[in-house]
């Protein structure tokens, strides 16, 4: 297997040669080189590489197609990963976006390419101790739909809870009195700002189903604390019309062409 050539002090910068040959802009050229789509004399190119004017340059035929196609990835985030940049020693969930972690039942027509990792950013967040559906996208339009100031896209969560003070719960009575449930649905404020109305109901005896149209920091956990509940598990199962379904924890799939949030 050929190894990448070291940048040479001789010759012209490869990205400039590509631009002069009309193959790509300088910026595109650097992106293609970084994505592994450019080979010089059969050897993978490296950023900053200099070449002689008559060098043979081969470009992956997928380059133009993949460059134009901005991918969106649906990831089942496990606990212990942060949504965005690495922090406090914890890895970002994006490190799970590898060929090996692609769900075997993903039937999207998109073929995995390392270039898809470039510019892939979370559209929304899940806390480090939460699991479920996380959207990673290269498409700014999708990011705006999901996290823009005017976004009204629903997010659905399954939330396991327990009383913060079990002694206050009478035997045979619900964990959450009707008036407290009503507060969860409409009537709470965080950081001095009222929350949008939420749909909250019991999924089973110790698990609530939340449907929100906003995403303040640690919102569900803080809402539950205000009504005397402690969250012991939180999983996002739907964003808009896109569901987590059977996607295993730690694996991902591409958003299919026919899917819309």
């Amino acid at each position: 297997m050929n190894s990448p050539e070291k940048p040479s002090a001789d010759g012209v910068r490869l990205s400039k040669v590509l631009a002069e040959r009309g193959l790509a802009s300088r910026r595109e050229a650097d992106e293609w080189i970084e994505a592994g789509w450019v080979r010089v004399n059969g050897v993978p190119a490296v950023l900053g590489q200099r070449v002689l004017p008559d060098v043979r340059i081969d470009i992956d035929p997928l380059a133009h197609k993949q460059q134009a196609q901005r991918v969106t990835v649906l990831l089942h985030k496990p606990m212990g990963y942060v949504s965005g940049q690495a922090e406090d020693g914890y890895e970002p969930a994006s490190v799970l976006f590898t060929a090996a972690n692609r769900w075997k039942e993903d039937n999207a027509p998109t073929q995995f390419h390392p270039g898809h990792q470039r510019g892939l950013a979370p559209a929304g967040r899940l806390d480090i101790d939460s699991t479920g559906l996380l959207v990673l996208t290269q498409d700014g339009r999708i990011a705006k739909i999901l996290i823009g100031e005017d976004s009204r896209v629903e997010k659905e969560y399954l939330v396991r809870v327990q009383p913060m003070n079990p002694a206050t719960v009478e035997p045979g009575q619900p964990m959450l009195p009707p008036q407290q449930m009503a507060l969860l649905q409409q009537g709470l404020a965080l950081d001095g700002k009222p929350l949008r109305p939420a749909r909250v109901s019991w999924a089973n005896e110790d698990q609530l189903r939340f449907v929100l149209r906003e995403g303040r920091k640690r919102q569900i956990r803080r809402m539950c604390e205000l009504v005397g509940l402690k969250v012991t598990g939180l999983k996002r199962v739907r964003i808009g019309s896109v569901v987590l379904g059977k996607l295993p924890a730690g694996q991902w799939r591409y958003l299919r062409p026919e899917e819309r949030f």
Side-chain angles (χ1 to χ4, degrees):
M1 181 176 177
N2 292 325
S3 57
E5 293 179 357
K6 298 293 184 183
S8 170
D10 302 322
V12 181
R13 192 178 177 94
L14 176 57
S15 57
K16 183 179 180 181
V17 174
L18 286 166
E20 289 175 345
R21 293 187 184 182
L23 298 172
S25 69
R26 294 281 292 268
R27 180 177 178 180
E28 286 174 331
D30 281 337
E31 290 177 348
W32 290 2
I33 292 167
E34 189 175 20
W37 288 335
V38 181
R39 301 176 79 88
V40 175
N41 292 331
V43 179
V46 295
L47 279 173
Q49 182 171 342
R50 292 180 175 272
V51 298
L52 297 177
D54 60 349
V55 73
R56 189 182 93 246
I57 299 174
D58 299 307
I59 298 175
D60 190 321
L62 290 175
H64 290 286
K65 179 180 177 181
Q66 297 287 4
Q67 194 77 350
Q69 180 185 358
R70 299 173 188 268
V71 300
T72 296
V73 171
L74 308 175
L75 172 71
H76 186 163
K77 189 189 88 67
M79 290 180 63
Y81 290 86
V82 293
S83 298
Q85 298 295 320
E87 57 184 71
D88 299 329
Y90 293 101
E91 290 186 301
S94 58
V95 302
L96 297 171
F97 178 56
T98 64
N101 286 338
R102 184 175 186 176
W103 187 29
K104 65 181 181 180
E105 296 184 25
D106 183 7
N107 58 9
T110 309
Q111 293 184 355
F112 174 81
H113 193 285
H116 294 162
Q117 296 168 321
R118 179 176 32 81
L120 197 67
R125 57 177 293 133
L126 276 176
D127 299 327
I128 191 170
D129 44 2
S130 300
T131 67
L133 184 58
L134 180 68
V135 176
L136 305 170
T137 187
Q138 295 175 321
D139 194 333
R141 294 168 300 177
I142 287 181
K144 185 176 181 180
I145 289 170
L146 297 184
I147 59 176
E149 289 185 6
D150 298 327
S151 176
R152 293 294 187 273
V153 176
E154 289 186 346
K155 286 93 172 178
E156 183 176 342
Y157 304 81
L158 292 178
V159 185
R160 199 165 298 281
V161 295
Q162 64 184 32
M164 295 179 71
N165 184 0
T168 62
V169 180
E170 297 291 334
Q173 296 299 310
M175 190 187 310
L176 193 66
Q179 63 270 27
Q180 297 294 82
M181 176 66 84
L183 280 176
L184 280 181
Q185 295 168 339
Q186 186 171 0
L188 294 179
L190 293 177
D191 305 319
K193 295 181 180 180
L195 295 171
R196 294 176 186 169
R199 298 209 311 271
V200 187
S201 59
W202 287 105
N204 55 51
E205 62 181 14
D206 66 350
Q207 191 173 57
L208 289 166
R209 184 183 304 274
F210 276 74
V211 179
L212 306 179
R213 290 181 181 266
E214 61 186 328
R216 307 247 194 116
K217 188 173 182 180
R218 298 183 74 82
Q219 177 174 336
I220 291 176
R221 296 176 189 276
R222 295 166 70 194
M223 288 174 70
C224 287
E225 287 174 2
L226 289 173
V227 296
L229 295 178
K230 177 183 178 182
V231 173
T232 60
L234 190 154
K235 182 178 185 179
R236 184 157 61 203
V237 296
R238 177 175 65 86
I239 299 176
S241 61
V242 177
V243 299
L244 179 66
K246 298 179 181 179
L247 182 63
Q251 297 186 27
W252 60 270
R253 69 174 179 87
Y254 285 111
L255 183 73
R256 296 190 296 271
E258 71 275 12
E259 288 184 302
R260 297 290 185 274
F261 290 103

